[in-house]
Amino acid sequence: MRAINRPNLDIQIVYEACINSITDDDLYTRLQSIMTNIIQSSSDYGNKALISLLYTIPPNHCENDAIALGNVTKKELRAVYSSHFVPATKPARIYYDQLISLAPLGKCPYCGVGYASTLDHYLPKNKFPQLSVTPLNLIPSCKDCNTGKKTSFPTTFRAQSLHPYFDHDNFIEDQWLYANVIETTPAIIDYCVIPPSHWNEDDKARVHTHFNDFDLKLKYSIEASNQIAVLRDSLLYAWDSNGFVGVRQQLMLDALAYYLKHPNSWQTAMYQALAQSNWYCNGGFR
Ligand SMILES: [Zn+2]
């Protein structure tokens, strides 16, 4: 997970920009009349996210055509996002693009692998339509993480995956992602979560949730397999000049370089695991 500074976008400005492009007077008036509620929902979201209580916001299970808020249906609220925020021709698109641009070096903050080309609703708009265009609920993400999340919305504290705008500090600075080398030809990297023992049980559970929700075990293993195919030739040079020690030193240097950037990247865990594997350093890389 990569941390992102919280977007400095006002919900009222974003919501008004969306509904101002609506030409149906009746719909505009009904959406205008729930503005206070939209702002209040957004403020409540921000307060709860600060203390990891987003799971306590009740989901709205009503049908698409049923009234979700004031005199507005769920379908109409969701369309504020899909028809007046996302399309490139709409004025509010500028805010969509601003949010996408928050992705660190263009990468998806959930996985750190994919290209952030979409906005993910941390709380999905089909259950939380009042948060359809709440900037704090919109996370730049890759398509896989956006559409493939295993839990659609959290119902307990521990079922909350990490939130890139709010879950910083220990989740970013302490290492919790590790890997093991499976001794096959070519080697396979098997990823796992081992949170620091001094963490509280809730935080430990949440990194497991994050790892599982975004299918990071598989995603990272595929990335590692591709990298291992490239590594072989450069390690042959290291082997020729200094054998086992040369290979291990090169892998340790790479592990350190990645660790200093992101302790929980797939590369950090992979290089650490390879450097620690006697089998791999002793020719398993061939
Ligand atoms: Zn992703």
Side-chain angles (χ1 to χ4, degrees), residues 68-85:
L69 200 59
N71 213 4
V72 180
T73 65
K74 181 182 270 189
K75 188 175 167 186
E76 288 167 336
L77 261 177
R78 292 174 61 179
V80 172
Y81 176 82
S82 52
S83 302
H84 303 281
F85 189 64

Side-chain angles (χ1 to χ4, degrees), residues 108 110-114 141-142 144-145 219:
C108 168
Y110 289 133
C111 65
V113 172
S141 80
C142 70
D144 280 356
C145 288
K219 184 173 255 185

Side-chain angles (χ1 to χ4, degrees), residues 234-252:
S234 74
L235 291 178
L236 277 173
Y237 278 109
W239 177 267
D240 285 345
S241 58
N242 208 10
F244 175 91
V245 174
V247 169
R248 172 159 285 172
Q249 268 179 352
Q250 180 172 327
L251 292 168
M252 285 173 71

Side-chain angles (χ1 to χ4, degrees), residues 258-280:
Y258 279 107
Y259 177 86
L260 292 174
K261 284 188 81 160
H262 297 294
N264 296 301
S265 70
W266 65 267
Q267 294 101 325
T268 301
M270 181 192 82
Y271 281 106
Q272 285 175 344
L274 293 176
Q276 283 160 14
S277 166
N278 289 334
W279 168 82
Y280 187 78

